[in-house]
């Protein structure tokens, strides 16, 4: 299930997988090339994966207001996921 543009959650029978995927560019041999950056985290339960998602989304918040706004956004996403 998709959480946002970059994050999704899957299950594999043994647990829950939080996936990250983002299109990026890098320089190679003097020219910019497109690539897709991917990362995965493995958990035993959905709540553990959602807690990691929250941690990742608030990472880099420099002000309390920004942090609280991001927490509220993630809570709304989680409510939508849980109601599916």
């Amino acid at each position: 299930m998709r959480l946002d543009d970059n994050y999704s959650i899957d299950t594999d029978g043994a647990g829950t997988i939080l996936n990250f995927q983002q299109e990026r560019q890098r320089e190679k041999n003097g020219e910019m090339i497109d690539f897709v950056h991917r990362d995965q985290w493995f958990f035993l339960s959905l709540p553990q994966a959602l807690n990691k998602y929250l941690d990742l989304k608030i990472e880099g918040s420099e002000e309390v207001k920004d942090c609280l706004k991001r927490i509220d956004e993630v809570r709304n996403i989680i409510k939508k996921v849980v109601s599916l």
Side-chain angles (χ1 to χ4, degrees):
M1 75 187 84
R2 179 143 307 279
L3 297 174
D4 64 30
D5 290 342
N6 297 320
Y7 290 93
S8 64
I9 288 183
D10 295 313
T11 57
D12 66 358
T16 304
I17 305 164
L18 177 61
N19 300 296
F20 174 81
Q21 181 172 310
Q22 184 181 51
E23 292 183 15
R24 296 184 179 178
Q25 288 189 330
R26 67 176 165 218
E27 186 178 338
K28 184 174 183 180
N29 298 328
E31 66 181 78
M32 298 302 286
I33 60 166
D34 296 328
F35 71 100
V36 177
H37 175 76
R38 292 183 173 91
D39 209 345
Q40 290 185 314
W41 297 268
F42 298 88
F43 302 94
L44 296 176
S45 68
L46 180 59
Q48 289 173 327
L50 292 172
N51 283 329
K52 178 64 175 180
Y53 174 64
L54 175 61
D55 291 345
L56 291 166
K57 293 300 281 187
I58 63 173
E59 197 173 88
S61 297
E62 294 184 15
E63 295 183 13
V64 173
K65 277 181 152 179
D66 185 39
C67 186
L68 292 174
K69 179 183 174 206
R70 290 181 188 196
I71 289 170
D72 190 47
E73 290 170 356
V74 171
R75 282 184 178 159
N76 288 331
I77 290 169
I78 291 171
K79 283 179 189 175
K80 290 177 187 174
V81 168
V82 171
S83 67
L84 293 177

